[in-house]
Each structure stands twice: as C-alpha cells, then as structure tokens.
C-alpha cells in the first residue's frame, strides 16, 4: 500500500496547522500587542517549536498510530492512554466541526448566499463530508495528492499576500506606529500598553494558530519510516509556518494596522488590502486553507479511533479497514460527531471551539513527561530502542512542560465557559454540558466497556 513520504508528511503538517487562524483571527492578537504583533507570533512559534520537538521525540520511540494516545499509553499505561485517547477524539471531532463550519460559511459568502441560514449550513456540512469521504476512499496516494495540492494552494495565497504587501510597503508611507494612536469611543486607547499579563494573553492567542502539529502522528502507520521521518518533518514544517506567519503579520501591520485592529470582516486579512484582486486572492486562499485543514482532519481523527480499536479498548469494528485502506467505520463515527455537535451549538464558531481547546492541555502536560520516561527507560510499556538525546528528549520536554503550565495558569477559564447576553456575563451551559459529557461521562463509559471486554 502506498504510504506518505517525508515531503508529504511535511506538507500534511503544514496543512494540519494553517487553517482559519492566520486568515480570520490576527486582529485579536493585534488588539492586544499593537505594533509588537509580529514579535508575538515569533514568540508563539518558539513555543510551538519547543512542543513540536517534544512530540517529534515521542514519535521516534512509539510509531503506532494515535499520536498522544499512543505515547501516553506507552508511558503511563492503558488507563491514562485511554483517557487521553477519548478526550482527544472528542476534541479532534469538534475541532473538525469548527473547521467544517468555517469552510462552509466562507463558501456560502463566496456564492452570495446567507451564511447564517442553518439549513444551508447543514446541507453544506453533508456535502463537505461526502467530498472528504470520497477523497479518503480513493486511497492514500490520492489523499496525499489532494492534501499536498491544498497545502500548496494556501501557501501560494499567503506568499502572494506577503509579496504584494512588501511592494505596497516600499511604495507607501504608512507607519505601523499609527495603531497605538487608535482610541475607543470613550477616548481610551484601543491597544493597551504592553505588560506581562497582556504579553501572555497575546502569546496564547497567537499560539493557537500553530496548533495541529500534535495530531500529525495519528496516522503513523500510513507513513514511510515514521520513526525517522516524523522527528524531521514536524519541526521543519513549524519553521516554514513561522516564517509565513511572521511575513503575513509584518506586512499587514505595516500596510493597514487600523483595519487589522478594527475590521469586522470574516476574513480579516482581506480587509487590510484596498486592492480588490489581492483581497479576493486572500478570501479564496482562506477557503483553500480551511478545506485543506478539513482534509487533514479527515485523515487524523478516524485513525485515532482506529488505534484505540486495535488496542481492544473500543469495539473492534472501528479498527477495520476497507480495500482502499480507510478505517471506514471510524471515519463515519468521527463525521457524525463533527456534524451533530456543531448543529447543537447552532454553528456558533466560538461555542464549538470551547470544548476542543481543553484537551490540548492534557496532551501538552502528559506527552513531555512520557518522553522523559522513554529516555530513562521507565515507561509502562516497551518502546523502540531509538537514538537518545538529552537535549531534545529531556531539556525540551521540561521546557515544554513549564511553558504549558504557564499557558494553563493564564488560560481564561471563566471566559471560556461564559457568554455575554444583553451586556451581562452568564454561564454557557452548552459548553459546560459538552465539557462534562466529553471529559467525564464518555471516558467513564469507554473505561467500563474496556473493563468488560477484558473480562
């Protein structure tokens, strides 16, 4: 069976990371950091690079599919691995739903249709899932072609934006410092002075544009020499992404920083450029980007379910593959989660992103510890006799853990589980219920099934 080679893994990693964030949300970082936004993205890239090296180190010791699930199972045993696997599945399925919602709404806007019409969005969801199913049914070779093509397409749109921005910067006198002079209706500064708290908040906001690398190894069994290629491919991809992000934010903040901070458009980057042709390139680039990340999600998430089935922790039917090499039952289960939960949230992008963000903390705390266990030979299960490096396996893992705990402490938990209604902050019961179901009820249910099946 054809498997993904080194460069396809690099492109898959890029495809898994570059999604809606850099197109839709840089304004939020700019509001916090002002003219320092490009530097904030560099800091976030360093954070992501440290974490990516840790995950890459884990991938040389454990080459089973499942990524964090496989690493935590090997490091801490089946019970901890099961919890990580279940919560990752819930989060990844909902994250897929977030990306699907984004690409459908942008598609409807491009077609001149009402992106708030739930019927149209639902029909769009079903059409998108059917397309993604077909992409996967044609096998790994065709999947790699589509994934690579969508990655190249989004990178092309971003590079065109960067080069067009550089040209405009060289032919205009717009000063990036003007963003600091913007004020709110009450006369107070729109961009507050930078302090440590603001820096951390901005860093967290920018960091989420780099997430996705942690899922790349979910399909390790469908990759050539994963123990060799993954540790090289993931950090390389993060480096490429960091350069692209820095270039995009730098030119945007030098061309029209006011638009970056104040725009209400869906694709914020498009509002930076007055030239309609460049704006259209960015909008279509956002579409290709979001479609590409849906392609990546359709590859990663079902293989996590398959990995748990192959370990006997969920029903074996989810581990079966068809003739094309696709775990079809796992794909259908994941697609159902990705469709139903966004429907329950009435396709609110903010609402369905809440629960998907939480599981990242579980992975980013446990995987670094697991890598340290692998290095010192203290893991619960046997791992590969891989080349050891104190720098990447221990130093980077400790640094990853410290940075993650900082993120965890500074995370806006209250804001994630509340919403503003008529100017009043109230509990977001959709988010609280989803959290309880995804991170308490479902893991208990799967744990009991696993115990019963072992008997």
């Amino acid at each position: 069976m054809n498997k993904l080679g080194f460069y396809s893994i690099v492109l898959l990693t890029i495809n898994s990371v570059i999604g809606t964030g850099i197109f839709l949300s840089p304004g939020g970082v700019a509001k916090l950091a002002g003219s320092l936004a490009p530097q904030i993205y560099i800091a976030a890239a360093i954070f992501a690079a440290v974490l990516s090296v840790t995950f890459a180190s884990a991938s040389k010791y454990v080459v089973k599919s499942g990524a964090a699930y496989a690493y935590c199972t090997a490091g801490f045993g089946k019970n901890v691995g099961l919890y990580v696997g279940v919560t990752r599945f819930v989060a990844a399925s909902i994250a897929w739903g977030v990306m699907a919602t984004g690409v459908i709404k942008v598609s409807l806007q491009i077609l001149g249709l009402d992106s708030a019409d739930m019927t149209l969005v639902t029909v769009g969801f079903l059409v998108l899932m059917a397309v993604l199913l077909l992409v996967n049914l044609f096998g790994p070779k065709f999947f790699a072609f589509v994934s690579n093509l969508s990655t190249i397409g989004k990178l092309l749109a971003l590079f065109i934006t960067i080069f067009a921005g550089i040209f405009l910067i060289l032919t205009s006198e717009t000063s990036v410092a003007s963003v600091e002079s913007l004020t709110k209706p009450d006369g107070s500064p729109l961009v507050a002075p930078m302090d440590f708290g603001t820096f951390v908040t901005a860093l967290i906001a920018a960091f989420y544009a780099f997430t996705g690398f942690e899922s790349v190894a979910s399909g390790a069994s469908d990759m050539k020499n994963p123990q060799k290629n993954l540790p090289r491919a993931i950090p390389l991809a993060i480096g490429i992404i960091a350069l692209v992000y820095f270039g995009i934010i730098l030119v945007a903040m030098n061309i029209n920083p006011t638009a970056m901070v104040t725009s209400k458009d869906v694709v914020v980057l498009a509002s930076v450029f007055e030239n309609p042709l460049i704006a259209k390139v960015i909008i279509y680039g956002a579409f290709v980007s979001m479609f590409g990340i849906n392609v990546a999600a359709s590859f990663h998430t079902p293989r996590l379910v398959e990995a748990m089935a192959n370990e006997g922790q969920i029903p074996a039917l989810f581990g079966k593959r068809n003739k094309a090499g696709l775990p079809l039952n796992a794909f259908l289960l994941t697609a159902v989660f990705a469709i139903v939960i966004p429907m329950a949230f009435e396709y609110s992008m903010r609402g369905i992103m809440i629960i998907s963000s939480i599981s990242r903390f579980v992975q980013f705390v446990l995987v670094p510890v697991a890598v340290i266990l692998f290095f010192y030979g203290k893991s619960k299960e046997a791992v590969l006799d891989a080349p050891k490096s104190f720098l990447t396996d221990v130093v980077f893992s400790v640094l990853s853990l410290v940075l993650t705990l900082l993120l965890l402490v500074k995370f806006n938990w209250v804001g994630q589980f509340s919403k503003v209604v008529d100017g009043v902050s109230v509990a977001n019961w959709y988010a609280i219920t989803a959290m309880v179901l995804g991170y308490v009820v479902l893991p208990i249910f799967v744990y009991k099934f696993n115990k019963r099946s072992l008997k």
Side-chain angles (χ1 to χ4, degrees), residues 113-180:
L113 300 173
D114 183 6
S115 62
D117 188 321
M118 287 187 61
T119 301
L120 289 177
V121 176
T122 302
V123 172
F125 244 102
L126 297 176
V127 171
L128 176 63
M129 291 301 173
V131 170
L132 294 174
L133 176 59
L134 287 175
V135 169
N136 282 271
L137 281 173
F138 278 106
K141 189 173 182 179
F142 182 74
F143 171 86
F145 170 76
V146 174
S147 177
N148 294 349
L149 187 64
S150 62
T151 305
I152 292 169
K154 72 174 72 174
L155 287 176
L156 182 62
L158 290 169
F159 280 125
I160 289 173
T161 304
I162 292 171
F163 290 128
I166 292 173
F167 174 79
L168 291 173
I169 290 170
L170 294 175
T171 57
S172 68
E173 297 180 358
T174 302
S175 173
V176 69
S178 62
V179 71
E180 267 74 25

Side-chain angles (χ1 to χ4, degrees), residues 167-377:
F167 174 79
L168 291 173
I169 290 170
L170 294 175
T171 57
S172 68
E173 297 180 358
T174 302
S175 173
V176 69
S178 62
V179 71
E180 267 74 25
S181 65
L182 297 175
T183 59
K184 298 178 182 178
D186 61 3
S188 61
L190 185 60
V191 177
M194 178 68 72
D195 56 24
F196 182 71
T198 305
F199 170 80
V200 172
T201 303
L203 176 65
I204 292 171
F207 171 72
Y208 282 112
F210 289 91
T211 56
F213 65 85
E214 70 278 4
S215 299
V216 173
S218 293
S221 62
D222 291 290
M223 299 173 181
K224 296 178 182 177
N225 300 320
Q227 69 274 22
K228 178 182 178 182
N229 286 333
L230 277 168
R232 295 188 299 134
I234 295 176
L236 174 61
I238 291 295
I240 295 171
I241 293 164
L243 289 174
V244 173
Y245 282 5
F246 179 77
I248 285 289
I249 300 302
L250 185 64
V251 299
M253 291 298 293
N254 275 279
I255 292 170
N256 193 347
T258 301
M260 279 283 287
V261 176
T262 61
S263 175
K264 303 295 183 183
D265 292 345
V266 176
V267 182
V268 173
L269 277 182
S271 63
V272 171
F273 295 87
E274 295 181 359
N275 185 301
L277 179 60
I278 299 176
K280 281 189 176 181
V281 168
I282 295 172
I283 290 172
Y284 283 103
F287 168 79
V288 172
S289 178
M290 285 184 278
F291 176 75
I293 206 167
N294 273 274
V295 172
S298 73
F299 177 84
H300 300 317
T301 315
R303 283 162 175 77
L304 170 61
V305 178
E306 178 193 29
M308 290 190 289
N310 289 339
E311 292 293 327
Q313 295 189 302
I314 61 174
L317 67 93
F318 293 113
K320 294 181 179 179
R321 292 194 172 198
N322 61 11
K323 294 180 180 179
L326 172 68
L328 181 60
N329 294 326
F331 181 97
L332 295 175
L333 175 67
T334 308
V336 168
F337 268 77
I339 294 170
V340 171
I341 295 180
M343 287 177 63
F345 280 84
E346 297 180 344
Y347 302 110
S348 164
M349 292 287 284
R350 181 182 183 278
I352 54 181
M353 286 177 68
I354 291 171
I355 188 175
S356 69
S357 64
I358 305 302
S359 116
R360 300 190 192 280
F361 294 131
V362 177
Q363 298 173 66
F364 294 161
V365 168
L366 293 179
V367 170
V369 178
V371 174
I372 295 171
L373 293 176
F374 299 155
F375 180 85
Y376 287 107

